[in-house]
Amino acid sequence: MGRPSLLLVTLCFAFITVAHLVVGQTQQSQESQRRLQDAQQCRIQRLSVTRPARRIESEGGITELWDENDDQFQCAGVAAMRNIIRPSSLSLPNMSPSPRLVYIQQGRGLLGITYPGCAETYRSRGQPQRTGGEQQQQRGESISDQHQKIHRIRRGDIVALPAGVAHWCYNDGNEELVALSITDFNSESNQLDQRPRSFYFAGGSPQQQQGQQQRREGQHQQMEGEENIIQAFNENILAEAFDVSVDIVRKMQRNDDRGYIVKVKRGEMSMVRPDEEAEDEEQYQQGRRNGFEEVYCNMRVNHYMDNPREADIYSRQAGRLNSVNMNKLPILRMLGMSSEKGYLYQNAIFSPHWTINAHNIFYVTRGEARVQVVGHNGQTVLDDTVREGDLVVFPQYFAVMKRAGNNGFEWVSFKTSASPMRSPLAGSTSTIKGMPLEVLTNAYQVSYREAQNLKFNREHQLMFFPPPNRSS
């Protein structure tokens, strides 16, 4: 009986060993396939200048979306969206599983962000007291409205929206508020897939107007999270959860074709605003604040990028560059993103360069420029003139050169790193400048004098070069 038992144990052990090997090989194969697919996503043969592929009309504005299936967006793992909010209109509360970086291209407004686990820091003053829940009504008590901080945003601001925070935006100005946002799907905060999703707490899906790219046969794109998520809950249980009547819940759940941006009646947005921050300082209740509130709940979410005094690169004759990374706006460390705003004067050149640790999503805000991008194989993947409203992705390490047109050039870039590193090819801190002359003479088969010109002719200029007829 001993031998059969030993044989059985041996066979079982062998079976388990083989099973583990098979599972291990399967997992390795799946991981290899996933890495291969990720690598194939960035095998860019040609970049293209893009415009929004879809246009969604709402009651109070327009939402424009770029084609997230475009190879360059797939490579960078991002999606682009532009919201146009008309005066006295509200972009309804929603949240995204991925972080977003937003540039305010035009207008001004109020931005509200609700952080999970953070208490209200503002109380409405000078407003009528409102009765609370049924139990408070029975006790004859009343409460005033309280909410978390509201931020003033304006043209030139870069705004950080962490994953999972509920946010809304109200245009209290006299012109349209135009906001371009980039969503980073590759963030560790997102454990879903690389598709744009917005979870709305109000509103509904309007009639979508399809652009030319979407009309192509077989292409059926839809915006995830189109409907109000509250609509799907049981109305009776939801009423119990809020301690309100079923009639109120039914109003929350009713079909609403106003879209994602709705008009607001005059006088119905009289909330505490950022301009009143000094008056409400006591609402912070400093004696009760803790480290969580200090670090997370009260983080600054926006930074003004159009201030010439904060330029990181400046040339009197060529232009300037304002960068906003995690050192200027610490919340960007959480997002793993950053931004920059650039200005090139007439016919000036931005030195050929590449970003070492990030993809670069490049959006034109004014003027035009000739842009060239070169891949690792030495092939030109983009050589085109870009104009206001154009967007293109520069993948990591792809070399880029820009030359402004006759009317100058302005742009904003979004980068998939909180602290991006750029390496220029020409200029005082360039790759060529850092090499010995003997290396240059042998690498390019040029004379010693020619190598000196390559290395030193731009040694007093950083990255922005004026036209030949100007001096920096």
Side-chain angles (χ1 to χ4, degrees):
M1 295 294 295
R3 290 183 179 178
S5 298
L6 180 61
L7 179 60
L8 182 61
V9 170
T10 303
L11 290 174
C12 289
F13 179 77
F15 177 77
I16 292 172
T17 302
V18 172
H20 277 292
L21 289 173
V22 171
V23 171
Q25 290 176 351
T26 301
Q27 291 176 342
Q28 290 179 358
S29 176
Q30 291 175 346
E31 178 66 16
S32 299
Q33 289 178 0
R34 185 189 65 80
R35 291 180 179 177
L36 180 60
Q37 290 173 355
D38 291 343
Q40 288 175 343
Q41 288 180 347
C42 279
R43 290 183 176 177
I44 301 295
Q45 300 300 320
R46 190 75 183 172
L47 294 174
S48 60
V49 177
T50 62
R51 293 269 177 161
R54 284 177 290 162
R55 181 183 176 93
I56 304 173
E57 293 276 359
S58 296
E59 179 189 61
I62 299 168
T63 301
E64 297 176 321
L65 301 103
W66 274 258
D67 179 11
E68 71 272 11
N69 293 320
D70 189 304
D71 288 345
Q72 56 189 329
F73 291 110
Q74 290 288 313
C75 172
V78 300
M81 176 176 68
R82 183 167 57 204
N83 270 330
I84 302 172
I85 307 174
R86 300 186 182 105
S88 299
S89 295
L90 173 71
S91 176
L92 292 171
N94 69 93
M95 65 178 177
S96 169
S98 303
R100 287 178 179 171
L101 206 53
V102 184
Y103 176 70
I104 308 302
Q105 183 177 354
Q106 176 183 302
R108 50 174 277 168
L110 300 174
L111 174 71
I113 300 178
T114 303
Y115 294 95
C118 297
E120 298 89 348
T121 55
Y122 278 65
R123 176 178 294 145
S124 298
R125 286 178 145 190
Q127 293 185 353
Q129 297 283 315
R130 298 186 179 182
T131 58
E134 294 181 1
Q135 295 181 1
Q136 290 170 314
Q137 292 180 21
Q138 292 174 1
R139 295 195 300 264
E141 298 177 2
S142 61
I143 58 174
S144 60
D145 180 37
Q146 297 184 69
H147 49 77
Q148 292 187 18
K149 188 174 182 179
I150 298 171
H151 306 267
R152 164 66 66 192
I153 56 175
R154 57 172 173 163
R155 179 187 179 277
D157 275 355
I158 193 73
V159 182
L161 296 176
V165 300
H167 58 276
W168 52 265
C169 183
Y170 175 64
N171 182 354
D172 65 343
N174 298 319
E175 62 177 338
E176 292 181 337
L177 192 160
V178 181
L180 177 76
S181 66
I182 300 296
T183 302
D184 182 11
F185 299 134
N186 287 337
S187 167
E188 62 181 12
S189 301
N190 177 34
Q191 299 188 24
L192 296 174
D193 52 27
Q194 293 195 342
R195 298 178 62 187
R197 284 182 169 88
S198 292
F199 294 82
Y200 278 84
F201 302 102
S205 176
Q207 181 68 32
Q208 297 192 22
Q209 297 185 4
Q210 299 180 344
Q212 291 182 355
Q213 295 186 28
Q214 191 184 4
R215 294 192 188 105
R216 293 178 306 195
E217 184 178 357
Q219 185 175 359
H220 302 286
Q221 299 175 336
Q222 288 190 350
M223 185 175 178
E224 291 284 350
E226 291 176 328
E227 302 297 340
N228 172 2
I229 63 173
I230 293 177
Q231 290 179 341
F233 286 108
N234 179 274
E235 61 181 29
N236 294 308
I237 300 177
L238 198 60
E240 290 183 27
F242 279 104
D243 190 19
V244 297
S245 68
V246 175
D247 289 338
I248 294 178
V249 171
R250 287 172 180 167
K251 291 179 180 179
M252 297 170 67
Q253 293 183 327
R254 66 188 171 193
N255 292 330
D256 191 342
D257 60 358
R258 294 179 299 167
Y260 308 120
I261 307 171
V262 301
K263 293 181 180 179
V264 175
K265 295 180 180 178
R266 186 179 297 275
E268 290 192 359
M269 291 292 283
S270 55
M271 68 194 78
V272 177
R273 302 183 180 185
D275 315 79
E276 306 166 19
E277 182 172 353
E279 300 179 7
D280 287 75
E281 189 67 27
E282 70 273 13
Q283 296 301 326
Y284 280 102
Q285 302 178 5
Q286 295 188 11
R288 300 174 58 186
R289 292 171 71 181
N290 55 37
F292 178 76
E293 292 172 342
E294 289 278 1
V295 175
Y296 180 68
C297 299
N298 297 314
M299 284 193 295
R300 191 162 54 93
V301 299
N302 58 314
H303 187 92
Y304 183 61
M305 289 208 301
D306 279 352
N307 187 353
R309 296 181 179 180
E310 292 187 358
D312 298 272
I313 300 174
Y314 175 74
S315 169
R316 185 179 62 181
Q317 298 297 328
R320 72 178 191 268
L321 187 73
N322 290 44
S323 300
V324 180
N325 56 24
M326 66 182 186
N327 297 317
K328 289 185 180 179
L329 190 60
I331 194 174
L332 294 178
R333 181 189 297 272
M334 179 188 302
L335 271 68
M337 302 178 73
S338 58
S339 184
E340 65 183 23
K341 182 69 184 293
Y343 305 81
L344 276 178
Y345 301 151
Q346 179 183 11
N347 298 322
I349 294 175
F350 192 169
S351 172
H353 64 278
W354 53 92
T355 303
I356 295 173
N357 59 341
H359 298 299
N360 186 359
I361 298 87
F362 179 84
Y363 177 76
V364 183
T365 57
R366 189 187 68 83
E368 65 177 34
R370 181 181 178 183
V371 176
Q372 290 184 298
V373 184
V374 178
H376 74 282
N377 56 3
Q379 298 295 318
T380 301
V381 294
L382 177 68
D383 186 355
D384 204 349
T385 298
V386 295
R387 298 176 175 83
E388 181 176 342
D390 287 342
L391 188 147
V392 62
V393 175
F394 303 146
Q396 177 187 19
Y397 284 107
F398 279 49
V400 183
M401 181 171 63
K402 313 179 188 82
R403 181 168 188 168
N406 293 329
N407 296 317
F409 182 59
E410 295 181 13
W411 75 92
V412 62
S413 288
F414 304 81
K415 301 199 174 186
T416 57
S417 170
S419 185
M421 298 176 62
R422 181 190 292 109
S423 181
L425 192 60
S428 61
T429 61
S430 68
T431 301
I432 296 296
K433 179 70 164 51
M435 295 181 182
L437 288 170
E438 290 77 10
V439 172
L440 298 179
T441 58
N442 286 278
Y444 298 118
Q445 294 184 323
V446 296
S447 67
Y448 198 80
R449 180 62 177 174
E450 290 170 329
Q452 286 180 320
N453 292 338
L454 278 174
K455 183 168 180 176
F456 298 115
N457 279 2
R458 293 290 189 184
E459 68 174 335
H460 299 300
Q461 297 165 334
L462 192 57
M463 293 190 69
F464 282 20
F465 308 143
N469 59 342
R470 300 186 187 181
S471 58
S472 60

